[in-house]
Amino acid sequence: MRQRLQTLTENGHATDKVEYIVKGGTWNAYTLGYQYWYILESFLACNDGVAGRTEPSPYTEHTPVSELQAALAKAQTINETAPHRIIGLTLETRPDAISPKTIWHMRQQGCTRVELGLQATDDAILALIKRGHTVQQFRDAMLLLRQAGFKVDLHFMPDLPGSSPAHDVEMYQEIFADEGLRPDMIKIYPNSVIKSAELYQWFLDGRYVPYGDTPAMSEALMQMKLATPRYCRISRLIRDIPATEIEGGNTVTNLREFLEKKLHAQGLKCVCLRCREISRQIKNIPADTEPQLFVDEYETTGGTEYFITFEDPNRIAVFGFLRLRVPTIPAPESLIKHLPVLENTAFIRELHVYGRLMSIGQREDSASQHTGLGKQLMAAAEKITRQHGLTKVAVISGVGVRDYYRHLGYELQDTYLIKTLTCSQN
């Protein structure tokens, strides 16, 4: 962690705001000792700065969990004002590893977003590729995660055995038609055959014939981009596998740029959140554009989601956004038992204002991060919350941005920032 911070600093990047993503595997399959030790050392590294410690760490994965938890809580408090603040923590896991207890541990660790490898919405395909779980388990896991205020990122993999271009497009569309899914973010990973995978033998003996090296792949991916709603961000469109190691499947490494050119040539646009970020659309809107407030509403299992944005009048560019969830069913007692603060509350699951990356405390008139859009988005979310008759709103905040919400009247409870609303508030 210290080496990464140092490398980024030497390359001219601001590192006081850290979006921390732990990739791969099933996080909850590790022992609790390892989980807490790993996250603790990450926070300690950020608190120490690039200079680091001169003495060995007193902690290992075999340190008693209670001691690691106490040390992590202390490190998180220090991180609120540290040189390198962890403003978001993403952990990747499986749907069958999500439970009220694992959610509690992930919140203690500071997790704000969870990634799940859905891959397909067809149980027959999931069984064929030996995923070991069903689509319904994803729906169950996503409901629990949303009831705890998490952001959810799904992975989708076209060109799997048993599928076809048409079926892949159909399954992708189902992701957003199904109220049990509808992720906040999605990563589209076209399947690739590499020699170390069991699929390679299927490829050699003809049991698996990919379509990823044909025009059918780009056509299918274009349809997927066009089917993505405004509230969802397509984070990635390809895996980081060198083309020289791919034996079969898609080998186009600049897939996003390739697809954008094809869409543009046909007069089409992807309206996913990533494609509409102001940094990517700055040339397409007038410099004196005044952001306007928009509210998109959609249903997910157990709640109504409000995607609140500041955009230009034509909705080409997004300056900032907030995700608000108003529950329509109560959280289960098993979850309330671990996190009592979740009872009868609305959730601000994400707040992000785009602009030039600014260091903490730095101000610049041209940077949209500091023009009050965040406060206006929060005020809009609180207003909607009151309209639903709720008097409590919870923010699933990253450790490093807790102070921002404290300045807006929120208080730390059970790892969430909580505010009690009154009718007199505007």
Side-chain angles (χ1 to χ4, degrees):
M1 174 70 88
R2 287 195 298 269
Q3 289 174 341
R4 183 62 173 158
L5 291 171
Q6 185 172 1
T7 298
L8 288 169
T9 300
E10 291 174 351
N11 288 331
H13 296 285
T15 57
D16 53 349
K17 301 173 185 176
V18 178
E19 179 71 33
Y20 188 29
I21 304 174
V22 183
K23 297 291 295 175
T26 302
W27 175 257
N28 310 102
Y30 294 104
T31 65
L32 280 178
Y34 180 85
Q35 292 178 38
Y36 278 99
W37 166 79
Y38 188 99
I39 298 300
L40 168 60
E41 289 294 334
S42 300
F43 271 96
L44 291 176
C46 286
N47 293 349
D48 293 339
V50 295
R53 295 187 298 266
T54 56
E55 71 282 355
S57 171
Y59 306 104
T60 74
E61 62 181 289
H62 303 296
T63 302
V65 171
S66 59
E67 186 177 336
L68 292 171
Q69 289 172 324
L72 176 58
K74 181 179 179 180
Q76 289 173 337
T77 299
I78 294 172
N79 190 254
E80 293 178 13
T81 56
H84 308 282
R85 303 179 193 177
I86 297 179
I87 63 172
L89 171 60
T90 299
L91 299 173
E92 186 172 340
T93 189
R94 289 168 54 97
D96 47 347
I98 296 296
S99 69
K101 187 174 182 179
T102 58
I103 283 176
W104 183 83
H105 283 298
M106 288 192 291
R107 283 303 300 136
Q108 296 300 308
Q109 292 156 13
C111 180
T112 54
R113 185 174 73 204
V114 172
E115 294 194 21
L116 299 171
L118 174 63
Q119 318 304 20
T121 61
D122 185 330
D123 281 336
I125 293 177
L126 296 180
L128 179 63
I129 62 175
K130 306 176 184 179
R131 289 296 292 176
H133 48 65
T134 65
V135 178
Q136 185 57 48
Q137 285 176 297
F138 276 92
R139 298 187 186 101
D140 296 341
M142 290 184 72
L143 173 58
L144 260 184
L145 289 168
R146 285 191 175 116
Q147 287 174 319
F150 282 91
K151 299 174 284 292
V152 183
D153 186 343
L154 287 184
H155 301 175
F156 180 71
M157 187 171 287
D159 204 10
L160 286 169
S163 193
S164 66
H167 190 41
D168 282 339
V169 173
E170 179 184 48
M171 288 192 293
Y172 188 85
Q173 292 170 339
E174 184 181 353
I175 289 173
F176 298 103
D178 189 333
E179 292 185 4
L181 299 176
R182 294 184 174 171
D184 306 303
M185 303 170 66
I186 194 164
K187 294 179 179 176
I188 306 174
Y189 290 142
N191 189 26
S192 298
V193 181
I194 58 175
K195 286 186 176 181
S196 60
E198 181 180 346
L199 189 63
Y200 180 59
Q201 187 58 48
W202 294 24
F203 175 67
L204 290 180
D205 62 26
R207 281 181 289 166
Y208 170 61
V209 180
Y211 71 83
D213 55 352
T214 70
M217 174 58 74
S218 60
E219 292 301 319
L221 290 174
M222 286 171 60
Q223 292 302 312
M224 292 175 200
K225 282 181 69 67
L226 294 174
T228 307
R230 293 178 178 273
Y231 63 79
C232 183
R233 186 179 195 272
I234 301 178
S235 303
R236 301 188 68 176
L237 265 167
I238 195 170
R239 303 193 78 144
D240 290 331
I241 301 175
T244 54
E245 295 185 15
I246 297 176
E247 302 295 326
N250 172 70
T251 56
V252 180
T253 55
N254 63 333
L255 197 54
R256 188 185 293 273
E257 293 77 12
F258 176 75
L259 293 173
E260 287 175 354
K261 289 179 180 179
K262 287 182 70 69
L263 286 170
H264 181 74
Q266 298 181 35
L268 301 172
K269 289 183 179 179
C270 172
V271 297
C272 89
L273 181 56
R274 186 182 189 276
C275 286
R276 296 188 302 125
E277 292 169 352
I278 180 60
S279 61
R280 303 176 193 282
Q281 297 291 343
I282 192 70
K283 295 181 181 179
N284 298 322
I285 61 172
D288 59 350
T289 297
E290 285 293 328
Q292 294 187 12
L293 187 71
F294 292 88
V295 180
D296 293 325
E297 179 180 343
Y298 60 99
E299 298 299 317
T300 56
T301 301
T304 301
E305 310 290 340
Y306 292 90
F307 184 60
I308 310 171
T309 59
F310 270 110
E311 307 180 33
D312 69 285
N314 296 319
R315 307 202 72 177
I316 295 172
V318 177
F319 293 85
F321 69 91
L322 182 148
R323 301 186 191 275
L324 172 70
R325 176 179 174 84
V326 177
T328 55
I329 62 173
E333 288 298 322
S334 56
L335 187 60
I336 297 298
K337 176 182 176 182
H338 290 280
L339 292 165
V341 74
L342 302 183
E343 193 168 17
N344 298 323
T345 184
F347 291 98
I348 293 175
R349 300 190 299 114
E350 184 173 15
L351 171 65
H352 192 99
V353 177
Y354 296 110
R356 187 177 306 165
L357 186 59
M358 306 289 287
S359 296
I360 295 169
Q362 184 180 353
R363 295 290 185 269
E364 185 172 322
D365 292 340
S366 62
S368 61
Q369 283 178 311
H370 300 297
T371 56
L373 296 186
K375 292 181 180 179
Q376 293 178 62
L377 289 167
M378 291 291 291
E382 291 172 4
K383 180 179 179 180
I384 292 172
T385 299
R386 288 195 298 274
Q387 289 172 344
H388 281 273
L390 292 175
T391 59
K392 187 173 67 173
V393 61
V395 182
I396 187 167
S397 166
V399 169
V401 286
R402 286 174 176 172
D403 267 355
Y404 174 82
Y405 297 104
R406 287 191 178 103
H407 291 149
L408 298 180
Y410 287 74
E411 296 180 353
L412 184 64
Q413 297 179 33
D414 283 353
T415 74
Y416 294 83
L417 273 296
I418 304 294
K419 186 175 184 178
T420 300
L421 307 176
T422 63
C423 294
S424 61
Q425 291 175 302
N426 295 322

